[in-house]
Amino acid sequence: MQLFVGLGNPGGKYAGNRHNIGFMALDRIAEDHGFGPWKGKFQGEITEGLLGREKVLLLKPMTFMNNSGQSVGEAMRFYKLTPADVTVFHDELDLAPGKLRLKQGGGHAGHNGLRSIHQHIGAEYQRVRMGVGHPGHKDKVAPYVLSDFAKADQGWLDDVLRGCADGAPELAAGEGGKFQNAVALRVNPPRNKDSATGKASDKPAPASGSQAAAAQKAQQMKAAADARDRRTPLQKLKDKFR
């Protein structure tokens, strides 16, 4: 079993915050891949399911961000997992909005959720760093991450979350590059150039071999996910707490 952890703060007050993008990613993965209802356990909310051929437990710690490691450590001990089995989705100030990077091990860079996880399980787990941008000064960081995403962010945010769901089976299979490609296909779909004008057109760029197969699969998953729910992430969160 693998453990995917999304970081955030519990309750409707924080639901739309930048700090809660990890919760949002897990909600999207659970919905798009038919996971069961969320249940309370390990000081958090959990649901189990399959991503491709891999059994995965999704965990949203309900301990508040600064104590996330308590929940993660408890789940790890129960299932006898190692840090190598854990992937954490979290907000990343050092990446521009819409950017996403994978990282294995390393420091917590002052992120309180990661700091807590370090204290409880060590540093050798995988992170999905989800860019939210930086407010420009360290004194503005706390109010920035504890504020809701702006309306102007909804386009790229929805693309990133859907991309995470599209690529989740590849992430579970250890194919980090393919996972990041799935997100990139959502955020920056390939565009072909018009032969007459030399300008980019809305037609997909041609691909061949494995690239074509991967692109086709991503497009199929995108179409299926889009057909299921056209609400924005913030609309979904607001509906959840009504």
Side-chain angles (χ1 to χ4, degrees):
M1 173 179 282
Q2 293 184 49
L3 176 62
F4 283 10
V5 179
L7 296 188
N9 287 309
K13 175 182 177 181
Y14 303 99
N17 288 181
R18 294 178 177 89
H19 226 13
N20 275 42
I21 195 172
F23 277 13
M24 297 176 194
L26 260 59
D27 283 337
R28 186 82 249 179
I29 291 170
E31 183 168 345
D32 284 5
H33 292 278
F35 278 54
W38 293 93
K39 300 178 181 179
K41 196 171 184 180
F42 308 126
Q43 302 180 65
E45 291 186 357
I46 65 166
T47 181
E48 292 183 25
L50 291 175
L51 293 175
R53 297 180 179 179
E54 303 294 329
K55 186 176 182 180
V56 178
L57 176 73
L58 305 182
L59 169 65
K60 297 187 294 184
M62 294 288 125
T63 53
F64 286 93
M65 182 70 77
N66 292 6
N67 294 313
S68 299
Q70 295 177 9
S71 176
V72 177
E74 192 174 325
M76 272 186 58
R77 289 189 294 273
F78 182 86
Y79 287 105
K80 298 180 172 60
L81 303 177
T82 70
D85 300 315
V86 179
T87 298
V88 177
F89 293 72
H90 67 90
D91 57 308
E92 177 57 69
L93 292 167
D94 292 334
L95 288 177
K99 298 293 183 182
L100 180 147
R101 296 288 184 273
L102 285 180
K103 181 179 180 181
Q104 186 72 43
H108 53 67
H111 190 291
N112 288 333
L114 299 183
R115 188 198 307 273
S116 177
I117 294 174
H118 273 51
Q119 292 170 349
H120 286 267
I121 74 170
E124 298 308 312
Y125 56 92
Q126 182 171 238
R127 306 95 187 269
V128 178
R129 305 166 62 216
M130 307 178 72
V132 297
H134 198 286
H137 193 280
K138 64 180 182 179
D139 292 341
K140 298 180 179 179
V141 166
Y144 177 74
V145 297
L146 293 176
S147 296
D148 287 357
F149 283 103
K151 289 183 178 180
D153 294 325
Q154 292 308 304
W156 69 258
L157 177 60
D158 192 54
D159 287 340
V160 168
L161 299 179
R162 290 178 183 273
C164 284
D166 292 346
E170 281 69 36
L171 184 63
E175 299 284 354
K178 291 182 179 179
F179 167 72
Q180 292 182 94
N181 285 342
V183 177
L185 281 171
R186 282 282 190 173
V187 177
N188 296 302
R191 291 290 181 262
N192 199 6
K193 284 189 176 181
D194 188 285
S195 58
T197 65
K199 296 181 180 180
S201 74
D202 291 332
K203 296 180 179 179
S208 60
S210 60
Q211 286 183 326
Q216 183 179 18
K217 180 180 178 182
Q219 290 298 323
Q220 289 172 344
M221 294 180 70
K222 178 180 184 295
D226 289 345
R228 281 192 288 269
D229 197 339
R230 295 184 179 276
R231 290 175 295 167
T232 68
L234 285 183
Q235 285 173 331
K236 287 175 63 62
L237 287 166
K238 289 177 181 178
D239 289 347
K240 181 178 179 181
F241 289 98
R242 278 178 179 171

